[in-house]
Structures are given as C-alpha cells and as structure tokens.
Amino acid sequence: VIIDCRYPYEYQGGHIKGATNLHMEEEIEGFLLKQPIVSSSGKRVILVFHCEFSSERGPRMCRFVREKDREVNEYPALYYPELYLLKGGYKEFFLKYKAQCEPPSYRPMHHEDFKEDLKKFRSKSRTWAGEKSKRELYSRLKKL
C-alpha cells in the first residue's frame, strides 16, 4: 500500500498510480488503524510512505503509524510490521518512473499557484503535530 503524505494539491498535480493520499493523522488512523488492512491471499501487507522528498511528512506519518500500532498491540505483534519510506520521495520517483505516475506530472509543495493552500494545510498540520510557533513558546518561557 503506497501512502502519499503530500498535501492534496500536490497529489492532484501528479502521484504514483494506486497511491492513497493521506496527509493528516486522523486520515491515517481511519484508513489504517481503525480497521487494519488484512491480506485476503495471505500475503504480507507492506506500507510505503512518501512525501515530496521523504524527509519530513512521510517519515512523520510512518513514525505515527508505528507508535499507534504499538499502542494497540502487545509486543511483538503489529498490524503492520513492514513500514518503508520511499527514498527521495515523489520528486525522485517521478524523475525515474514518470510512466508510473498519474497524471504524469509533478507539482511541488511550494508551487506559486497554491500558496494559500499551503498556508491552510501547514496550519492544520502544525496543530495535529503539536507544534507551536516560536513566538508562542518564547512568551511561555517569559512567564516562567
């Protein structure tokens, strides 16, 4: 199962054929953890995560799935023992395997036409990632 962790406008601008776009933790939980994927043929279920470069969003979602999987299963059991990260992300994949992408194009996160979308998605992702602005953290420190 290929999990594309990029924002929807990036995914719509080109993605790996068959990939599922899940860019928020709630989406990941609903798709992978509430009713785990079970192979009907007895084959292993392998999850491959990626984002644009597989350096931030993809790895964060991969860690999130592993943490949640560990919380609900008794060690060493896991729903998804095999989690992988696509080296180089969609950007590198697209350059090498354009025919495996639909549409066969690449839209970067910082695309000029999607600045407002980026702001919106970033503010949402900061909230679920538990991140605070530097200003907010600084003001809390000053109160101590």
Side-chain angles (χ1 to χ4, degrees):
V1 179
I2 301 170
I3 308 296
D4 188 327
C5 303
R6 297 175 302 149
Y7 300 132
Y9 68 89
E10 294 172 274
Y11 177 83
Q12 291 160 2
H15 58 271
I16 298 170
K17 289 179 182 175
T20 302
N21 184 220
L22 304 168
H23 72 282
M24 296 186 67
E25 287 181 350
E26 303 89 62
E27 294 173 335
I28 291 276
E29 277 190 285
F31 187 79
L32 295 173
L33 299 165
K34 287 201 171 135
Q35 290 196 311
I37 299 168
V38 180
S39 173
S40 56
S41 63
K43 290 184 179 181
R44 303 177 321 206
V45 176
I46 296 172
L47 303 181
V48 179
F49 292 82
H50 77 86
C51 54
E52 186 173 7
F53 306 109
S54 287
S55 62
E56 189 176 324
R57 295 172 287 171
R60 183 170 52 219
M61 287 298 199
C62 189
R63 283 190 304 273
F64 174 76
V65 169
R66 175 60 80 230
E67 288 167 9
K68 292 296 180 184
D69 203 352
R70 283 263 178 250
E71 284 176 16
V72 297
N73 286 292
E74 190 173 323
Y75 186 83
L78 290 167
Y79 295 132
Y80 307 108
E82 291 188 67
L83 303 180
Y84 296 95
L85 191 61
L86 179 66
K87 183 180 178 189
Y90 181 74
K91 181 177 184 180
E92 207 169 292
F93 183 91
F94 174 74
L95 293 173
K96 292 180 182 175
Y97 307 103
K98 192 181 287 190
Q100 296 300 316
C101 300
E102 56 186 12
S105 62
Y106 165 57
R107 182 178 293 154
M109 180 175 80
H110 291 288
H111 192 284
E112 281 295 311
D113 297 343
F114 296 91
K115 284 183 175 182
E116 289 305 311
D117 291 288
L118 177 59
K119 277 186 199 174
K120 178 181 76 174
F121 290 123
R122 275 216 159 146
S123 69
K124 282 184 184 177
S125 65
R126 278 195 187 102
T127 302
W128 61 253
E131 296 175 15
K132 303 273 190 226
S133 71
K134 286 182 183 176
R135 180 178 291 165
E136 203 175 322
L137 290 172
Y138 183 69
S139 68
R140 286 183 65 210
L141 281 172
K142 280 178 35 181
K143 290 177 185 174
L144 297 174

PDB file of all heavy atoms in Angstrom, residues 1-6 11-12 14-22 31-32 37 46-50 86 90 93 97-104:
ATOM      1  N   VAL A   1       0.861  -1.166   0.000  1.00  0.00           N
ATOM      2  CA  VAL A   1       0.000   0.000   0.000  1.00  0.00           C
ATOM      3  C   VAL A   1       0.907   1.228   0.000  1.00  0.00           C
ATOM      4  O   VAL A   1       1.788   1.346   0.849  1.00  0.00           O
ATOM      5  CB  VAL A   1      -0.934   0.022   1.244  1.00  0.00           C
ATOM      6  CG1 VAL A   1      -1.809   1.250   1.243  1.00  0.00           C
ATOM      7  CG2 VAL A   1      -1.765  -1.239   1.305  1.00  0.00           C
ATOM      8  N   ILE A   2       0.689   2.127  -0.946  1.00  0.00           N
ATOM      9  CA  ILE A   2       1.503   3.339  -1.033  1.00  0.00           C
ATOM     10  C   ILE A   2       0.724   4.499  -0.434  1.00  0.00           C
ATOM     11  O   ILE A   2      -0.391   4.803  -0.870  1.00  0.00           O
ATOM     12  CB  ILE A   2       1.883   3.648  -2.493  1.00  0.00           C
ATOM     13  CG1 ILE A   2       2.666   2.476  -3.080  1.00  0.00           C
ATOM     14  CG2 ILE A   2       2.693   4.945  -2.570  1.00  0.00           C
ATOM     15  CD1 ILE A   2       2.876   2.573  -4.573  1.00  0.00           C
ATOM     16  N   ILE A   3       1.301   5.119   0.582  1.00  0.00           N
ATOM     17  CA  ILE A   3       0.667   6.239   1.276  1.00  0.00           C
ATOM     18  C   ILE A   3       1.389   7.527   0.888  1.00  0.00           C
ATOM     19  O   ILE A   3       2.553   7.717   1.226  1.00  0.00           O
ATOM     20  CB  ILE A   3       0.717   6.067   2.814  1.00  0.00           C
ATOM     21  CG1 ILE A   3       0.183   4.699   3.245  1.00  0.00           C
ATOM     22  CG2 ILE A   3      -0.014   7.213   3.502  1.00  0.00           C
ATOM     23  CD1 ILE A   3      -1.273   4.449   2.949  1.00  0.00           C
ATOM     24  N   ASP A   4       0.680   8.386   0.183  1.00  0.00           N
ATOM     25  CA  ASP A   4       1.214   9.679  -0.256  1.00  0.00           C
ATOM     26  C   ASP A   4       0.826  10.710   0.797  1.00  0.00           C
ATOM     27  O   ASP A   4      -0.349  11.040   0.957  1.00  0.00           O
ATOM     28  CB  ASP A   4       0.610  10.036  -1.615  1.00  0.00           C
ATOM     29  CG  ASP A   4       1.237  11.251  -2.254  1.00  0.00           C
ATOM     30  OD1 ASP A   4       1.649  12.179  -1.522  1.00  0.00           O
ATOM     31  OD2 ASP A   4       1.288  11.300  -3.495  1.00  0.00           O
ATOM     32  N   CYS A   5       1.804  11.216   1.536  1.00  0.00           N
ATOM     33  CA  CYS A   5       1.563  12.130   2.653  1.00  0.00           C
ATOM     34  C   CYS A   5       1.617  13.600   2.237  1.00  0.00           C
ATOM     35  O   CYS A   5       1.600  14.481   3.097  1.00  0.00           O
ATOM     36  CB  CYS A   5       2.577  11.872   3.767  1.00  0.00           C
ATOM     37  SG  CYS A   5       2.551  10.175   4.365  1.00  0.00           S
ATOM     38  N   ARG A   6       1.669  13.859   0.942  1.00  0.00           N
ATOM     39  CA  ARG A   6       1.709  15.246   0.480  1.00  0.00           C
ATOM     40  C   ARG A   6       0.324  15.867   0.586  1.00  0.00           C
ATOM     41  O   ARG A   6      -0.675  15.179   0.757  1.00  0.00           O
ATOM     42  CB  ARG A   6       2.203  15.311  -0.972  1.00  0.00           C
ATOM     43  CG  ARG A   6       3.629  14.809  -1.131  1.00  0.00           C
ATOM     44  CD  ARG A   6       4.053  14.773  -2.583  1.00  0.00           C
ATOM     45  NE  ARG A   6       3.170  13.924  -3.351  1.00  0.00           N
ATOM     46  CZ  ARG A   6       2.885  14.122  -4.643  1.00  0.00           C
ATOM     47  NH1 ARG A   6       3.430  15.119  -5.318  1.00  0.00           N
ATOM     48  NH2 ARG A   6       2.067  13.293  -5.272  1.00  0.00           N
ATOM     49  N   TYR A  11      -0.754  16.083  -4.571  1.00  0.00           N
ATOM     50  CA  TYR A  11      -1.213  14.764  -5.034  1.00  0.00           C
ATOM     51  C   TYR A  11      -1.974  14.895  -6.351  1.00  0.00           C
ATOM     52  O   TYR A  11      -1.741  14.137  -7.294  1.00  0.00           O
ATOM     53  CB  TYR A  11      -2.089  14.150  -3.943  1.00  0.00           C
ATOM     54  CG  TYR A  11      -2.703  12.814  -4.288  1.00  0.00           C
ATOM     55  CD1 TYR A  11      -1.985  11.640  -4.126  1.00  0.00           C
ATOM     56  CD2 TYR A  11      -4.022  12.724  -4.749  1.00  0.00           C
ATOM     57  CE1 TYR A  11      -2.550  10.412  -4.415  1.00  0.00           C
ATOM     58  CE2 TYR A  11      -4.591  11.500  -5.044  1.00  0.00           C
ATOM     59  CZ  TYR A  11      -3.852  10.344  -4.883  1.00  0.00           C
ATOM     60  OH  TYR A  11      -4.412   9.129  -5.169  1.00  0.00           O
ATOM     61  N   GLN A  12      -2.884  15.853  -6.421  1.00  0.00           N
ATOM     62  CA  GLN A  12      -3.674  16.051  -7.646  1.00  0.00           C
ATOM     63  C   GLN A  12      -2.804  16.466  -8.822  1.00  0.00           C
ATOM     64  O   GLN A  12      -3.148  16.206  -9.968  1.00  0.00           O
ATOM     65  CB  GLN A  12      -4.769  17.090  -7.402  1.00  0.00           C
ATOM     66  CG  GLN A  12      -5.839  16.593  -6.458  1.00  0.00           C
ATOM     67  CD  GLN A  12      -6.647  17.705  -5.813  1.00  0.00           C
ATOM     68  OE1 GLN A  12      -6.446  18.876  -6.090  1.00  0.00           O
ATOM     69  NE2 GLN A  12      -7.563  17.320  -4.926  1.00  0.00           N
ATOM     70  N   GLY A  14      -0.034  15.181  -9.574  1.00  0.00           N
ATOM     71  CA  GLY A  14       0.715  14.006 -10.003  1.00  0.00           C
ATOM     72  C   GLY A  14       1.045  13.123  -8.823  1.00  0.00           C
ATOM     73  O   GLY A  14       1.485  13.610  -7.789  1.00  0.00           O
ATOM     74  N   HIS A  15       0.782  11.830  -8.971  1.00  0.00           N
ATOM     75  CA  HIS A  15       1.062  10.872  -7.894  1.00  0.00           C
ATOM     76  C   HIS A  15       1.355   9.488  -8.467  1.00  0.00           C
ATOM     77  O   HIS A  15       1.076   9.227  -9.638  1.00  0.00           O
ATOM     78  CB  HIS A  15      -0.105  10.803  -6.901  1.00  0.00           C
ATOM     79  CG  HIS A  15      -1.397  10.430  -7.544  1.00  0.00           C
ATOM     80  ND1 HIS A  15      -2.248  11.362  -8.070  1.00  0.00           N
ATOM     81  CD2 HIS A  15      -1.976   9.223  -7.759  1.00  0.00           C
ATOM     82  CE1 HIS A  15      -3.315  10.755  -8.580  1.00  0.00           C
ATOM     83  NE2 HIS A  15      -3.159   9.455  -8.397  1.00  0.00           N
ATOM     84  N   ILE A  16       1.899   8.633  -7.650  1.00  0.00           N
ATOM     85  CA  ILE A  16       2.183   7.258  -8.050  1.00  0.00           C
ATOM     86  C   ILE A  16       0.851   6.543  -8.245  1.00  0.00           C
ATOM     87  O   ILE A  16      -0.055   6.653  -7.407  1.00  0.00           O
ATOM     88  CB  ILE A  16       3.031   6.539  -6.981  1.00  0.00           C
ATOM     89  CG1 ILE A  16       4.379   7.249  -6.818  1.00  0.00           C
ATOM     90  CG2 ILE A  16       3.226   5.067  -7.342  1.00  0.00           C
ATOM     91  CD1 ILE A  16       5.203   6.768  -5.634  1.00  0.00           C
ATOM     92  N   LYS A  17       0.723   5.828  -9.362  1.00  0.00           N
ATOM     93  CA  LYS A  17      -0.521   5.098  -9.646  1.00  0.00           C
ATOM     94  C   LYS A  17      -0.863   4.189  -8.475  1.00  0.00           C
ATOM     95  O   LYS A  17      -0.013   3.445  -7.977  1.00  0.00           O
ATOM     96  CB  LYS A  17      -0.373   4.265 -10.924  1.00  0.00           C
ATOM     97  CG  LYS A  17      -0.316   5.088 -12.179  1.00  0.00           C
ATOM     98  CD  LYS A  17      -0.146   4.207 -13.403  1.00  0.00           C
ATOM     99  CE  LYS A  17      -0.047   5.071 -14.657  1.00  0.00           C
ATOM    100  NZ  LYS A  17       0.236   4.253 -15.853  1.00  0.00           N
ATOM    101  N   GLY A  18      -2.105   4.259  -8.032  1.00  0.00           N
ATOM    102  CA  GLY A  18      -2.575   3.411  -6.941  1.00  0.00           C
ATOM    103  C   GLY A  18      -2.301   3.944  -5.545  1.00  0.00           C
ATOM    104  O   GLY A  18      -2.733   3.348  -4.561  1.00  0.00           O
ATOM    105  N   ALA A  19      -1.582   5.065  -5.439  1.00  0.00           N
ATOM    106  CA  ALA A  19      -1.280   5.627  -4.121  1.00  0.00           C
ATOM    107  C   ALA A  19      -2.532   6.228  -3.490  1.00  0.00           C
ATOM    108  O   ALA A  19      -3.427   6.695  -4.188  1.00  0.00           O
ATOM    109  CB  ALA A  19      -0.194   6.695  -4.239  1.00  0.00           C
ATOM    110  N   THR A  20      -2.564   6.205  -2.175  1.00  0.00           N
ATOM    111  CA  THR A  20      -3.662   6.803  -1.412  1.00  0.00           C
ATOM    112  C   THR A  20      -3.137   8.055  -0.738  1.00  0.00           C
ATOM    113  O   THR A  20      -2.096   8.019  -0.082  1.00  0.00           O
ATOM    114  CB  THR A  20      -4.178   5.812  -0.347  1.00  0.00           C
ATOM    115  OG1 THR A  20      -4.598   4.613  -1.007  1.00  0.00           O
ATOM    116  CG2 THR A  20      -5.337   6.390   0.430  1.00  0.00           C
ATOM    117  N   ASN A  21      -3.862   9.160  -0.897  1.00  0.00           N
ATOM    118  CA  ASN A  21      -3.433  10.434  -0.324  1.00  0.00           C
ATOM    119  C   ASN A  21      -3.995  10.589   1.089  1.00  0.00           C
ATOM    120  O   ASN A  21      -5.192  10.735   1.282  1.00  0.00           O
ATOM    121  CB  ASN A  21      -3.908  11.585  -1.221  1.00  0.00           C
ATOM    122  CG  ASN A  21      -3.427  12.944  -0.771  1.00  0.00           C
ATOM    123  OD1 ASN A  21      -4.163  13.911  -0.823  1.00  0.00           O
ATOM    124  ND2 ASN A  21      -2.194  13.053  -0.345  1.00  0.00           N
ATOM    125  N   LEU A  22      -3.104  10.513   2.080  1.00  0.00           N
ATOM    126  CA  LEU A  22      -3.460  10.683   3.480  1.00  0.00           C
ATOM    127  C   LEU A  22      -2.438  11.635   4.086  1.00  0.00           C
ATOM    128  O   LEU A  22      -1.304  11.239   4.336  1.00  0.00           O
ATOM    129  CB  LEU A  22      -3.438   9.341   4.221  1.00  0.00           C
ATOM    130  CG  LEU A  22      -4.316   8.228   3.647  1.00  0.00           C
ATOM    131  CD1 LEU A  22      -3.982   6.891   4.285  1.00  0.00           C
ATOM    132  CD2 LEU A  22      -5.780   8.559   3.826  1.00  0.00           C
ATOM    133  N   PHE A  31      -7.968   5.163   8.008  1.00  0.00           N
ATOM    134  CA  PHE A  31      -7.685   4.267   6.884  1.00  0.00           C
ATOM    135  C   PHE A  31      -6.896   3.030   7.296  1.00  0.00           C
ATOM    136  O   PHE A  31      -7.157   1.930   6.801  1.00  0.00           O
ATOM    137  CB  PHE A  31      -6.912   5.033   5.798  1.00  0.00           C
ATOM    138  CG  PHE A  31      -6.705   4.256   4.530  1.00  0.00           C
ATOM    139  CD1 PHE A  31      -7.721   4.132   3.597  1.00  0.00           C
ATOM    140  CD2 PHE A  31      -5.479   3.656   4.276  1.00  0.00           C
ATOM    141  CE1 PHE A  31      -7.517   3.413   2.422  1.00  0.00           C
ATOM    142  CE2 PHE A  31      -5.265   2.933   3.104  1.00  0.00           C
ATOM    143  CZ  PHE A  31      -6.286   2.810   2.173  1.00  0.00           C
ATOM    144  N   LEU A  32      -5.949   3.184   8.208  1.00  0.00           N
ATOM    145  CA  LEU A  32      -5.047   2.075   8.526  1.00  0.00           C
ATOM    146  C   LEU A  32      -5.254   1.423   9.883  1.00  0.00           C
ATOM    147  O   LEU A  32      -4.949   0.241  10.049  1.00  0.00           O
ATOM    148  CB  LEU A  32      -3.589   2.554   8.461  1.00  0.00           C
ATOM    149  CG  LEU A  32      -3.072   2.992   7.098  1.00  0.00           C
ATOM    150  CD1 LEU A  32      -1.686   3.598   7.232  1.00  0.00           C
ATOM    151  CD2 LEU A  32      -3.060   1.828   6.126  1.00  0.00           C
ATOM    152  N   ILE A  37      -5.778  -3.237   7.537  1.00  0.00           N
ATOM    153  CA  ILE A  37      -5.814  -3.952   6.261  1.00  0.00           C
ATOM    154  C   ILE A  37      -5.286  -5.363   6.498  1.00  0.00           C
ATOM    155  O   ILE A  37      -4.208  -5.551   7.074  1.00  0.00           O
ATOM    156  CB  ILE A  37      -4.947  -3.233   5.207  1.00  0.00           C
ATOM    157  CG1 ILE A  37      -5.484  -1.825   4.957  1.00  0.00           C
ATOM    158  CG2 ILE A  37      -4.875  -4.046   3.922  1.00  0.00           C
ATOM    159  CD1 ILE A  37      -4.547  -0.934   4.148  1.00  0.00           C
ATOM    160  N   ILE A  46       2.377  -4.515   3.190  1.00  0.00           N
ATOM    161  CA  ILE A  46       3.536  -3.631   3.276  1.00  0.00           C
ATOM    162  C   ILE A  46       3.076  -2.204   3.024  1.00  0.00           C
ATOM    163  O   ILE A  46       2.344  -1.941   2.069  1.00  0.00           O
ATOM    164  CB  ILE A  46       4.606  -4.042   2.241  1.00  0.00           C
ATOM    165  CG1 ILE A  46       5.127  -5.446   2.573  1.00  0.00           C
ATOM    166  CG2 ILE A  46       5.742  -3.027   2.207  1.00  0.00           C
ATOM    167  CD1 ILE A  46       6.030  -6.039   1.519  1.00  0.00           C
ATOM    168  N   LEU A  47       3.474  -1.291   3.894  1.00  0.00           N
ATOM    169  CA  LEU A  47       3.135   0.117   3.736  1.00  0.00           C
ATOM    170  C   LEU A  47       4.380   0.894   3.315  1.00  0.00           C
ATOM    171  O   LEU A  47       5.439   0.754   3.933  1.00  0.00           O
ATOM    172  CB  LEU A  47       2.603   0.710   5.041  1.00  0.00           C
ATOM    173  CG  LEU A  47       1.378   0.048   5.674  1.00  0.00           C
ATOM    174  CD1 LEU A  47       0.979   0.796   6.943  1.00  0.00           C
ATOM    175  CD2 LEU A  47       0.221  -0.002   4.702  1.00  0.00           C
ATOM    176  N   VAL A  48       4.235   1.700   2.265  1.00  0.00           N
ATOM    177  CA  VAL A  48       5.323   2.550   1.786  1.00  0.00           C
ATOM    178  C   VAL A  48       4.839   3.990   1.880  1.00  0.00           C
ATOM    179  O   VAL A  48       3.846   4.360   1.256  1.00  0.00           O
ATOM    180  CB  VAL A  48       5.714   2.217   0.322  1.00  0.00           C
ATOM    181  CG1 VAL A  48       6.839   3.139  -0.150  1.00  0.00           C
ATOM    182  CG2 VAL A  48       6.109   0.753   0.189  1.00  0.00           C
ATOM    183  N   PHE A  49       5.518   4.777   2.685  1.00  0.00           N
ATOM    184  CA  PHE A  49       5.161   6.185   2.892  1.00  0.00           C
ATOM    185  C   PHE A  49       6.079   7.072   2.060  1.00  0.00           C
ATOM    186  O   PHE A  49       7.243   6.752   1.852  1.00  0.00           O
ATOM    187  CB  PHE A  49       5.338   6.568   4.370  1.00  0.00           C
ATOM    188  CG  PHE A  49       4.368   5.893   5.282  1.00  0.00           C
ATOM    189  CD1 PHE A  49       4.600   4.605   5.725  1.00  0.00           C
ATOM    190  CD2 PHE A  49       3.219   6.548   5.698  1.00  0.00           C
ATOM    191  CE1 PHE A  49       3.707   3.968   6.572  1.00  0.00           C
ATOM    192  CE2 PHE A  49       2.320   5.928   6.549  1.00  0.00           C
ATOM    193  CZ  PHE A  49       2.564   4.634   6.977  1.00  0.00           C
ATOM    194  N   HIS A  50       5.530   8.202   1.634  1.00  0.00           N
ATOM    195  CA  HIS A  50       6.376   9.191   0.986  1.00  0.00           C
ATOM    196  C   HIS A  50       5.700  10.551   1.008  1.00  0.00           C
ATOM    197  O   HIS A  50       4.493  10.669   1.184  1.00  0.00           O
ATOM    198  CB  HIS A  50       6.731   8.789  -0.452  1.00  0.00           C
ATOM    199  CG  HIS A  50       5.622   8.996  -1.437  1.00  0.00           C
ATOM    200  ND1 HIS A  50       5.414  10.201  -2.080  1.00  0.00           N
ATOM    201  CD2 HIS A  50       4.662   8.166  -1.872  1.00  0.00           C
ATOM    202  CE1 HIS A  50       4.377  10.081  -2.891  1.00  0.00           C
ATOM    203  NE2 HIS A  50       3.896   8.868  -2.773  1.00  0.00           N
ATOM    204  N   LEU A  86       9.853   5.781   0.969  1.00  0.00           N
ATOM    205  CA  LEU A  86      10.339   5.858  -0.407  1.00  0.00           C
ATOM    206  C   LEU A  86      11.518   6.821  -0.488  1.00  0.00           C
ATOM    207  O   LEU A  86      11.359   8.025  -0.260  1.00  0.00           O
ATOM    208  CB  LEU A  86       9.216   6.317  -1.335  1.00  0.00           C
ATOM    209  CG  LEU A  86       9.558   6.472  -2.815  1.00  0.00           C
ATOM    210  CD1 LEU A  86       9.898   5.111  -3.423  1.00  0.00           C
ATOM    211  CD2 LEU A  86       8.377   7.090  -3.555  1.00  0.00           C
ATOM    212  N   TYR A  90       8.486  11.605  -3.821  1.00  0.00           N
ATOM    213  CA  TYR A  90       7.824  11.631  -5.130  1.00  0.00           C
ATOM    214  C   TYR A  90       8.692  12.317  -6.169  1.00  0.00           C
ATOM    215  O   TYR A  90       8.710  11.906  -7.334  1.00  0.00           O
ATOM    216  CB  TYR A  90       6.457  12.327  -5.036  1.00  0.00           C
ATOM    217  CG  TYR A  90       5.741  12.335  -6.373  1.00  0.00           C
ATOM    218  CD1 TYR A  90       5.166  11.173  -6.868  1.00  0.00           C
ATOM    219  CD2 TYR A  90       5.675  13.490  -7.142  1.00  0.00           C
ATOM    220  CE1 TYR A  90       4.531  11.158  -8.094  1.00  0.00           C
ATOM    221  CE2 TYR A  90       5.040  13.487  -8.377  1.00  0.00           C
ATOM    222  CZ  TYR A  90       4.474  12.319  -8.847  1.00  0.00           C
ATOM    223  OH  TYR A  90       3.849  12.307 -10.079  1.00  0.00           O
ATOM    224  N   PHE A  93      11.082   9.774  -7.535  1.00  0.00           N
ATOM    225  CA  PHE A  93      10.333   8.717  -8.199  1.00  0.00           C
ATOM    226  C   PHE A  93       9.841   9.206  -9.560  1.00  0.00           C
ATOM    227  O   PHE A  93       9.969   8.514 -10.571  1.00  0.00           O
ATOM    228  CB  PHE A  93       9.147   8.271  -7.331  1.00  0.00           C
ATOM    229  CG  PHE A  93       8.375   7.123  -7.921  1.00  0.00           C
ATOM    230  CD1 PHE A  93       8.718   5.816  -7.595  1.00  0.00           C
ATOM    231  CD2 PHE A  93       7.316   7.339  -8.788  1.00  0.00           C
ATOM    232  CE1 PHE A  93       8.010   4.748  -8.144  1.00  0.00           C
ATOM    233  CE2 PHE A  93       6.610   6.278  -9.335  1.00  0.00           C
ATOM    234  CZ  PHE A  93       6.961   4.976  -9.015  1.00  0.00           C
ATOM    235  N   TYR A  97      10.469   7.328 -12.952  1.00  0.00           N
ATOM    236  CA  TYR A  97       9.365   6.450 -13.364  1.00  0.00           C
ATOM    237  C   TYR A  97       8.112   7.245 -13.748  1.00  0.00           C
ATOM    238  O   TYR A  97       7.013   6.936 -13.294  1.00  0.00           O
ATOM    239  CB  TYR A  97       9.021   5.473 -12.236  1.00  0.00           C
ATOM    240  CG  TYR A  97      10.205   4.697 -11.727  1.00  0.00           C
ATOM    241  CD1 TYR A  97      10.811   5.055 -10.523  1.00  0.00           C
ATOM    242  CD2 TYR A  97      10.723   3.622 -12.435  1.00  0.00           C
ATOM    243  CE1 TYR A  97      11.911   4.346 -10.040  1.00  0.00           C
ATOM    244  CE2 TYR A  97      11.816   2.910 -11.959  1.00  0.00           C
ATOM    245  CZ  TYR A  97      12.409   3.279 -10.764  1.00  0.00           C
ATOM    246  OH  TYR A  97      13.484   2.574 -10.300  1.00  0.00           O
ATOM    247  N   LYS A  98       8.272   8.229 -14.581  1.00  0.00           N
ATOM    248  CA  LYS A  98       7.164   9.109 -14.972  1.00  0.00           C
ATOM    249  C   LYS A  98       5.939   8.322 -15.468  1.00  0.00           C
ATOM    250  O   LYS A  98       4.802   8.689 -15.188  1.00  0.00           O
ATOM    251  CB  LYS A  98       7.633  10.071 -16.062  1.00  0.00           C
ATOM    252  CG  LYS A  98       6.674  11.201 -16.336  1.00  0.00           C
ATOM    253  CD  LYS A  98       7.168  12.127 -17.435  1.00  0.00           C
ATOM    254  CE  LYS A  98       8.311  12.969 -16.942  1.00  0.00           C
ATOM    255  NZ  LYS A  98       8.683  14.044 -17.865  1.00  0.00           N
ATOM    256  N   ALA A  99       6.157   7.221 -16.170  1.00  0.00           N
ATOM    257  CA  ALA A  99       5.053   6.421 -16.707  1.00  0.00           C
ATOM    258  C   ALA A  99       4.213   5.778 -15.594  1.00  0.00           C
ATOM    259  O   ALA A  99       3.068   5.384 -15.834  1.00  0.00           O
ATOM    260  CB  ALA A  99       5.585   5.341 -17.645  1.00  0.00           C
ATOM    261  N   GLN A 100       4.769   5.685 -14.386  1.00  0.00           N
ATOM    262  CA  GLN A 100       4.038   5.102 -13.264  1.00  0.00           C
ATOM    263  C   GLN A 100       3.298   6.159 -12.448  1.00  0.00           C
ATOM    264  O   GLN A 100       2.808   5.871 -11.350  1.00  0.00           O
ATOM    265  CB  GLN A 100       5.001   4.336 -12.352  1.00  0.00           C
ATOM    266  CG  GLN A 100       5.656   3.153 -13.025  1.00  0.00           C
ATOM    267  CD  GLN A 100       4.636   2.143 -13.509  1.00  0.00           C
ATOM    268  OE1 GLN A 100       3.687   1.808 -12.802  1.00  0.00           O
ATOM    269  NE2 GLN A 100       4.803   1.673 -14.722  1.00  0.00           N
ATOM    270  N   CYS A 101       3.220   7.367 -12.976  1.00  0.00           N
ATOM    271  CA  CYS A 101       2.574   8.470 -12.271  1.00  0.00           C
ATOM    272  C   CYS A 101       1.334   8.932 -13.035  1.00  0.00           C
ATOM    273  O   CYS A 101       1.313   8.899 -14.265  1.00  0.00           O
ATOM    274  CB  CYS A 101       3.548   9.642 -12.128  1.00  0.00           C
ATOM    275  SG  CYS A 101       5.044   9.205 -11.212  1.00  0.00           S
ATOM    276  N   GLU A 102       0.310   9.344 -12.272  1.00  0.00           N
ATOM    277  CA  GLU A 102      -0.893   9.880 -12.906  1.00  0.00           C
ATOM    278  C   GLU A 102      -1.375  11.121 -12.179  1.00  0.00           C
ATOM    279  O   GLU A 102      -1.428  11.108 -10.958  1.00  0.00           O
ATOM    280  CB  GLU A 102      -1.991   8.819 -12.978  1.00  0.00           C
ATOM    281  CG  GLU A 102      -2.379   8.211 -11.648  1.00  0.00           C
ATOM    282  CD  GLU A 102      -3.377   7.068 -11.782  1.00  0.00           C
ATOM    283  OE1 GLU A 102      -3.617   6.572 -12.890  1.00  0.00           O
ATOM    284  OE2 GLU A 102      -3.913   6.674 -10.748  1.00  0.00           O
ATOM    285  N   PRO A 103      -1.682  12.177 -12.856  1.00  0.00           N
ATOM    286  CA  PRO A 103      -1.194  12.421 -14.219  1.00  0.00           C
ATOM    287  C   PRO A 103       0.336  12.429 -14.199  1.00  0.00           C
ATOM    288  O   PRO A 103       0.933  12.639 -13.148  1.00  0.00           O
ATOM    289  CB  PRO A 103      -1.753  13.801 -14.559  1.00  0.00           C
ATOM    290  CG  PRO A 103      -2.004  14.462 -13.246  1.00  0.00           C
ATOM    291  CD  PRO A 103      -2.327  13.361 -12.274  1.00  0.00           C
ATOM    292  N   PRO A 104       0.961  12.210 -15.357  1.00  0.00           N
ATOM    293  CA  PRO A 104       2.431  12.158 -15.373  1.00  0.00           C
ATOM    294  C   PRO A 104       3.045  13.552 -15.226  1.00  0.00           C
ATOM    295  O   PRO A 104       3.576  14.128 -16.163  1.00  0.00           O
ATOM    296  CB  PRO A 104       2.748  11.525 -16.734  1.00  0.00           C
ATOM    297  CG  PRO A 104       1.570  11.854 -17.574  1.00  0.00           C
ATOM    298  CD  PRO A 104       0.381  11.897 -16.649  1.00  0.00           C
TER     299      PRO A 104
END
